[in-house]
Amino acid sequence: MEKLVPDKPIEEIIIAAPKYLDEELLETPSLALDRARLEIGHMGDRVKEMLQGIMAAIIKGDRITLKNIAKIDDEVDILHGHIVTYLGQVSQKALTEEQTVVLVNLMAASNDLENIGDIIETDLVYLGNEGIDTQVSISEETRELLRKLHHVVSMTAELAIDAVMENDQRAAQEVSAMKADIGRLMESAAMHESMRLVAAEPNRLAAYTLEIDIIEKLKRIYYFSKRMAKAVVPEEVTENAV
């Protein structure tokens, strides 16, 4: 029977594959590091897609989109694994001091980007589904506030990704410069939520908890975006900015 009907190998389903990593370039660290930088941009494109769609999905209560966003994070995790492995191989080569700094920064940027993906997939997708399950209704005023905050945080994440991929110091400095704007928006959001807590609406406490949690997760995304961008800015510029 085995000869007549042999076992067929199960084809591996490839969810995501790196586009730029080239093992033939490992012997030339400068080129290999450039390839890793491009691959972080590829990974960043998937994170951008997650970030761009998450707020509308939460506000609309779109469970299908939330599920699709969570699936994208599987791709992000796979690409992250490839990048870390590749950089680990590069680290075994004879590197200059400058190349070592670049490698460490790219490794950190890849980890920060993966953390952003995890916040979206693990926390924001969960909050979106929780809002649907508990039938929380977000007021139009609060929706507008969340959209505005989400827009600014998304902008900083995109700038940070571009800064790493293109080694763009100007983009990186823009991310850090937006700290004051983010702070004002966060303060405004917290004040708004405290006033909304006493509103005479059904399920108000559940809505307050959900909205505060969303704001906190957006704040965490900005934290990782800012940290990612800092790796691109020269140390002397960072010290002067403090």
Side-chain angles (χ1 to χ4, degrees), residues 219-239:
K219 185 177 180 181
R220 289 289 293 165
I221 290 173
Y222 173 66
Y223 165 77
F224 284 113
S225 298
K226 185 176 63 173
R227 198 166 76 167
M228 189 168 23
K230 267 187 178 181
V232 181
V233 181
E235 187 175 347
E236 60 270 18
V237 175
T238 305
E239 289 174 353

Side-chain angles (χ1 to χ4, degrees), residues 148-188:
K148 185 182 296 185
L149 184 56
H150 169 257
H151 173 72
V152 176
V153 169
S154 297
M155 191 188 312
T156 61
E158 291 179 15
L159 279 169
I161 293 167
D162 291 344
V164 173
M165 184 178 67
E166 300 172 13
N167 197 25
D168 187 340
Q169 294 178 14
R170 181 175 296 180
Q173 289 174 23
E174 280 188 57
V175 175
S176 296
M178 294 176 75
K179 180 179 179 180
D181 292 336
I182 294 284
R184 281 192 291 270
L185 281 171
M186 290 292 177
E187 187 177 340
S188 174

Side-chain angles (χ1 to χ4, degrees), residues 21-161:
L21 304 182
D22 187 342
E23 292 195 2
E24 292 183 5
L25 296 177
L26 289 172
E27 298 304 322
T28 311
S30 60
L31 296 179
L33 290 171
D34 284 341
R35 288 302 184 117
R37 193 184 294 280
L38 289 173
E39 196 61 50
I40 289 173
H42 177 210
M43 177 183 170
D45 286 340
R46 308 307 287 143
V47 173
K48 287 179 188 179
E49 186 176 345
M50 295 174 70
L51 193 51
Q52 287 164 0
I54 189 63
M55 189 53 65
I58 292 174
I59 290 174
K60 293 177 182 177
D62 185 344
R63 205 185 289 274
I64 292 176
T65 300
L66 290 170
K67 184 177 180 179
N68 290 336
I69 289 172
K71 286 182 179 178
I72 296 174
D73 191 55
D74 293 337
E75 299 177 40
V76 171
D77 290 341
I78 290 169
L79 293 175
H80 173 255
H82 282 292
I83 292 167
V84 169
T85 300
Y86 189 77
L87 288 173
Q89 292 174 309
V90 177
S91 71
Q92 302 302 311
K93 308 302 177 182
L95 304 179
T96 66
E97 185 176 345
E98 182 180 353
Q99 288 170 342
T100 301
V101 171
V102 170
L103 186 144
V104 170
N105 287 342
L106 289 178
M107 186 77 79
S110 177
N111 292 337
D112 289 336
L113 199 49
E114 198 245 353
N115 280 323
I116 292 174
D118 284 346
I119 291 170
I120 298 170
E121 187 268 337
T122 304
D123 298 318
L124 289 176
V125 168
Y126 170 80
L127 290 171
N129 283 315
E130 186 178 42
I132 296 170
D133 294 340
T134 57
Q135 299 182 334
V136 165
S137 177
I138 301 176
S139 71
E140 186 54 45
E141 187 179 0
T142 303
R143 290 184 182 194
E144 186 57 34
L145 185 148
L146 291 175
R147 288 191 192 103
K148 185 182 296 185
L149 184 56
H150 169 257
H151 173 72
V152 176
V153 169
S154 297
M155 191 188 312
T156 61
E158 291 179 15
L159 279 169
I161 293 167

